[in-house]
C-alpha cells in the first residue's frame, strides 16, 4: 500500500521526463570520489596546519559527512535516481575507502550529478529496522553521526584544534562543528539539508558502460566550511551544534564541491 | 525528487500507517496463562505507537524486560534502565530530583515514569525524541547516564549465548543489531500500561466502583482547573507548556533546545497526573517534593516567565483549603497499585 502510494506520488510530482523501468541487474558501475583538501593543500589529519580566512591557525582531527540520494542527468534532460536503499554514504577522512560513493546507474553519458549533503527527512524518520549500515543510529562512539537526545543525524562533523579556541575543561583548545537538522519532525526547525548539483560538461562527462568504471572526481575544499559568506571565528564560535548559527556553516560548506575531472 | 517530495512522502507514509492501523490486542487471547499482548484499556484512546512495525509478542516482551534490567547496557555494567526507572516508584527514580547515573554522575532532569508510552507521540521533557524505538540510544550513550555505545552493547550481548537464543526466539535471528535491540526494549515499555487505578474502575463501571463525594468534587475541580493541560484519561494532552514554575538554576530552556523557536522557550512536556503517590519529586527538575508544594505553586507561586501558558491566570488558581483536600483525594484515585506491583513488569 505504501509502495503503491509512493509510486503514484513519484510520478505525480516528478517534473523531469519519466524514466523507463530499468533492469536493476543490467546497471553499470559509477563512483563519485570525494577528495577532501584544505585550500590548495592536502588534508592531513592531526598534523597538517592550516589558516582560516580570519588568519587563525588550526588543525583538523576528524572530518566526516553524509552524502545521499545520488542522481545523474543526461544531456537530453533525463535523470536517473539511484535506488534510495543503496544511496547513503558516510565519507570519513580517516578511512580512505570511504571516499568513494559507489552506485549503479544505466549505461549512458551523464552531464550532471546531483546529491544531498546530509540525510533527507524521510530516511531520518523511517522505522529503525530500515536504518542500517552508516544510517544505524547506534553506530559509532564519539565519532558517531547521530544525536540521541534530539533524534536526527549529524550531517557534517569537523573537529580539530585552534589556539584561538578557548580551552575546554580538559585544557584543550578544540573546535567542534556538528551540523545537522532535517527540518523537524512535527514542529518546523532548522533545515540544513543541502542538495548539490555539479555540472560535468566542462571537466568531462561520465561515460558509464558496463565494462568500465567511470569515476567522477570531486575536489572538496573543506576550508570552505569555515570561510565564505560567514567567516567562522574559533574564538567566538568554538562549538557549533544544533543552533541557528549552524546554518551559516551549512551554507558555507554547500559551496565546497568542485568537479575536477572524470576517469572513464 | 526534491525536498518537498520527500516531505510529502513522509507525511503520506504517516497517513497510510495511520489509516491502516489495526487495533493491537483485538484478537489476542486473554485466558489465564496465555500472553495477552498489548491491550487497549476500554477507557483509553487508540495508541500512537507503531505496532504495525513492532507487534508485541511474548518472546519480544520478555527479551525487552530482560534488557531493561540488564546492567551490561552501561559502560561498566553498573546501571540498567531499571536503576533510574524503578517499578515500585512507577518507573521513576524516586527521591532523586535529577537522575543519578554511572559513576554517581548527576543528570539535569528528573526521570519520568515509563508509563502509557504507547500514547506518547514525543518523548523526553522537551520532546526531542519522536519514536520510542530511538529512545534508548539517548541514555545508553549519555555521559551522565550509561556512558556506553550502542555498538558495544550489541557486541557484549552478541557474545552471550543466552541472548543469542532469546533474540532468535523473538526476532527469528541470532544476529543482534540496533534495530532488534531497540524493538525489544520498546515491546517491554509499551506494555507498561497503568490503567488499573480506582479512577479507571469507576470510568469502566467495574463492579460497584464509585467515587466518594470528596473524590467526585475533586475530579470536577481537576477537570476545570487542570484539565486544559492534564487531560483525562491519560492526564496529559501531550503538549509542551510553561506552567510558571520559574526558570531553573541551570536555565534549562526545555522544548526550545529541540525547535530553536523563541515561542518554545521554557516549555516542558505536560506530565501525567497518574501515580503521583509514587513519583515524587515533581517537575522536570524535581523541584517540588510534595503535592502540597505543587498546589501552593499553582495557587500562589506562578511566575511570569517568557511564554507562560495563557491557561494559567496571572494571579494563580485560587483554591480554598477544602478544594485542595478534594483535589488531593481525587489525585489519590489515580494511583495504580496493580501497576507498580505487576510481576510481569518486574525484574525476573
Amino acid at each position: 500500500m505504501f509502495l503503491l502510494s509512493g509510486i503514484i506520488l513519484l510520478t505525480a510530482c516528478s517534473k523531469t521526463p519519466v524514466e523507463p523501468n530499468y533492469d536493476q541487474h543490467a546497471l553499470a558501475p559509477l563512483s563519485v570520489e570525494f577528495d577532501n583538501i584544505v585550500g590548495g593543500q592536502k588534508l592531513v589529519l592531526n598534523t597538517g596546519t592550516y589558516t582560516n580566512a580570519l588568519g587563525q591557525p588550526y588543525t583538523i582531527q576528524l572530518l566526516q559527512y553524509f552524502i545521499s540520494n545520488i542522481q545523474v542527468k543526461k544531456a537530453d534532460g533525463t535523470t536517473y535516481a539511484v535506488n534510495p536503499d543503496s544511496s547513503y554514504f558516510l565519507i570519513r577522512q580517516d578511512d580512505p575507502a570511504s571516499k568513494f560513493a559507489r552506485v549503479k546507474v544505466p549505461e549512458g553519458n551523464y552531464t550532471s550529478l546531483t546529491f544531498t549533503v546530509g540525510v533527507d527527512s524521510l530516511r531520518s524518520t523511517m522505522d529503525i529496522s530500515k536504518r542500517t549500515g552508516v544510517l544505524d543510529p547506534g553506530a559509532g562512539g564519539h565519532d558517531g553521526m547521530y544525536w540521541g537526545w534530539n533524534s536526527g543525524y549529524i550531517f557534517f562533523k569537523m573537529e580539530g584544534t585552534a589556539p584561538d579556541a578557548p580551552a575546554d575543561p580538559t585544557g584543550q583548545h578544540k573546535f567542534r562543528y556538528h551540523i545537522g537538522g532535517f527540518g523537524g519532525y512535527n514542529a518546523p526547525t532548522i533545515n540544513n539539508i543541502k542538495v548539490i548539483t555539479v555540472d560535468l560538461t566542462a571537466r568531462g562527462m561520465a561515460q558509464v558502460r558496463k565494462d568500465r568504471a567511470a569515476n567522477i572526481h570531486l575536489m572538496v575544499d573543506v576550508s570552505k566550511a569555515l570561510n565564505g559568506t560567514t567567516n567562522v571565528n574559533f574564538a567566538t564560535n568554538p562549538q557549533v551544534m544544533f543552533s541557528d548559527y549552524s546554518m551559516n556553516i551549512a551554507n558555507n560548506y554547500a559551496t565546497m564541491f568542485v568537479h575536477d575531472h572524470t576517469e572513464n | 525528487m526534491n525536498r518537498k517530495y520527500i516531505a510529502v512522502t513522509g507525511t503520506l507514509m504517516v497517513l497510510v500507517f495511520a489509516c491502516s492501523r489495526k487495533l493491537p490486542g483485538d484478537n489476542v487471547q486473554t485466558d489465564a496463562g496465555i500472553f495477552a499482548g498489548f491491550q487497549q484499556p476500554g477507557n483509553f484512546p487508540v495508541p500512537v505507537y507503531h505496532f504495525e512495525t513492532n507487534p508485541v509478542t511474548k518472546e519480544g516482551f520478555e527479551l525487552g524486560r530482560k534488557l531493561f534490567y540488564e546492567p551490561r547496557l552501561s559502560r561498566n555494567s553498573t546501571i540498567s534502565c531499571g536503576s533510574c526507572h524503578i517499578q515500585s516508584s512507577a518507573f521513576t527514580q524516586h527521591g532523586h530530583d535529577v537522575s543519578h547515573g554511572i559513576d554517581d554522575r548527576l543528570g539535569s532532569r528528573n526521570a519520568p515514569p515509563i508509563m502509557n508510552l504507547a500514547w506518547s507521540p514525543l518523548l523526553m521533557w522537551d520532546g526531542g525524541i519522536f519514536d520510542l524505538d530511538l529512545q534508548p540510544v539517548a541514555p545508553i550513550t549519555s555521559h551522565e547516564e550509561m556512558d556506553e555505545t550502542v555498538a558495544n552493547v550489541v557486541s557484549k550481548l552478541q557474545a552471550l549465548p543466552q541472548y543469542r537464543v532469546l533474540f532468535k526466539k523473538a526476532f527469528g535471528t541470532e544476529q543482534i543489531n540496533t534495530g532488534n535491540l531497540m524493538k525489544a526494549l520498546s515491546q517491554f515499555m509499551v506494555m507498561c500500561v497503568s490503567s488499573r487505578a480506582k479512577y479507571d474502575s469507576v470510568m469502566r463501571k467495574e463492579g460497584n466502583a464509585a467515587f466518594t463525594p470528596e473524590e467526585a468534587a475533586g475530579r470536577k475541580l481537576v477537570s476545570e482547573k487542570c484539565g486544559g493541560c492534564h487531560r483525562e484519561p491519560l492526564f496529559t494532552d501531550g503538549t509542551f507548556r510553561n506552567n510558571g514554575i520559574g526558570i531553573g538554576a541551570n536555565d534549562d530552556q526545555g522544548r526550545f533546545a529541540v525547535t530553536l523557536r523563541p515561542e518554545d522557550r521554557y516549555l516542558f512536556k505536560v506530565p501525567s497526573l497518574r501515580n503521583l503517590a509514587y513519583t515524587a519529586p515533581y517537575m522536570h527538575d524535581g523541584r517540588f517534593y510534595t503535592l502540597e508544594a505543587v498546589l501552593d505553586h499553582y495557587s500562589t507561586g506562578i511566575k511570569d516567565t517568557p511564554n507562560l501558558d495563557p491557561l494559567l491566570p496571572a494571579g494563580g488558581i485560587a483554591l480554598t483549603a477544602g478544594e485542595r483536600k478534594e483535589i488531593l483525594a481525587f489525585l489519590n484515585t489515580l494511583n495504580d497499585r496493580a501497576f507498580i506491583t505487576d510481576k510481569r513488569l518486574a525484574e525476573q
Side-chain angles (χ1 to χ4, degrees), chain A residues 5 127 136 148 151 185 189 242, chain B residues 12 53 128-130 178 183 258-259:
Chain A
S5 345
D127 191 83
D136 183 342
S151 315
Y185 179 67
T189 182
F242 193 74
Chain B
L12 196 88
T53 58
I129 297 176
F130 52 73
T178 307
K183 295 215 163 199
V258 170
T259 66

Side-chain angles (χ1 to χ4, degrees), chain B residues 175-197:
Chain B
Q175 198 60 50
I176 303 171
N177 55 41
T178 307
N180 53 25
L181 171 65
M182 300 296 153
K183 295 215 163 199
L185 282 163
S186 286
Q187 289 193 35
F188 172 70
M189 290 194 282
V190 294
M191 291 292 284
C192 295
V193 176
S194 176
S195 63
R196 287 168 288 169

Side-chain angles (χ1 to χ4, degrees), chain B residues 128-288:
Chain B
I129 297 176
F130 52 73
D131 183 344
L132 188 59
D133 295 0
L134 299 169
Q135 163 71 36
V137 178
I140 291 173
T141 57
S142 144
H143 175 74
E144 293 78 21
E145 296 185 7
M146 304 170 103
D147 199 21
E148 185 43 296
T149 68
V150 177
N152 256 344
V153 170
V154 167
S155 54
K156 281 194 272 185
L157 300 176
Q158 190 74 66
L160 298 167
Q162 46 163 332
Y163 273 109
R164 292 202 292 271
V165 171
L166 293 174
F167 274 88
K168 172 95 184 162
K169 273 167 74 185
F171 297 104
T173 171
E174 286 198 351
Q175 198 60 50
I176 303 171
N177 55 41
T178 307
N180 53 25
L181 171 65
M182 300 296 153
K183 295 215 163 199
L185 282 163
S186 286
Q187 289 193 35
F188 172 70
M189 290 194 282
V190 294
M191 291 292 284
C192 295
V193 176
S194 176
S195 63
R196 287 168 288 169
K198 175 176 181 185
Y199 161 84
D200 299 294
S201 305
V202 177
M203 290 300 116
R204 292 195 296 261
K205 305 189 168 60
E206 287 165 1
N208 34 21
F211 290 129
T212 64
E214 193 179 41
E215 290 164 354
R219 178 173 180 221
K220 194 156 169 284
L221 285 167
V222 167
S223 118
E224 279 166 21
K225 302 190 187 286
C226 325
C229 307
H230 300 285
R231 196 170 65 209
E232 295 190 33
L234 297 161
F235 292 89
T236 167
D237 64 355
T239 59
F240 298 84
R241 300 174 186 255
N242 175 353
N243 71 342
I245 56 171
I247 299 167
N250 62 358
D251 194 27
D252 188 337
Q253 305 202 355
R255 184 92 180 121
F256 175 76
V258 170
T259 66
L260 303 174
R261 297 192 301 183
E263 63 267 36
D264 288 342
R265 250 184 244 277
Y266 306 116
L267 270 50
F268 292 87
K269 189 159 77 175
V270 176
S272 172
L273 300 182
R274 288 174 173 270
N275 294 315
L276 293 172
Y278 319 118
T279 62
Y282 308 109
M283 307 297 165
H284 72 270
D285 53 5
R287 71 176 70 183
F288 297 132

Side-chain angles (χ1 to χ4, degrees), chain A residues 55-113:
Chain A
Q56 302 169 321
Y58 64 97
T59 68
I60 299 176
Q61 296 171 315
L62 181 143
L63 176 86
Q64 47 198 39
Y65 49 87
F66 273 113
I67 295 295
S68 63
N69 294 308
I70 294 178
Q71 272 186 56
V72 283
K73 189 168 164 184
K74 289 189 197 155
D76 66 4
T78 51
T79 61
Y80 179 82
V82 173
N83 181 341
D85 285 335
S86 30
S87 206
Y88 292 84
F89 301 91
L90 181 59
I91 313 296
R92 302 169 53 121
Q93 184 61 22
D94 67 352
D95 175 12
S98 77
K99 73 178 179 183
F100 294 94
R102 297 180 194 280
V103 295
K104 290 227 177 336
V105 300
E107 292 195 324
N109 295 340
Y110 294 100
T111 54
S112 134
L113 165 75

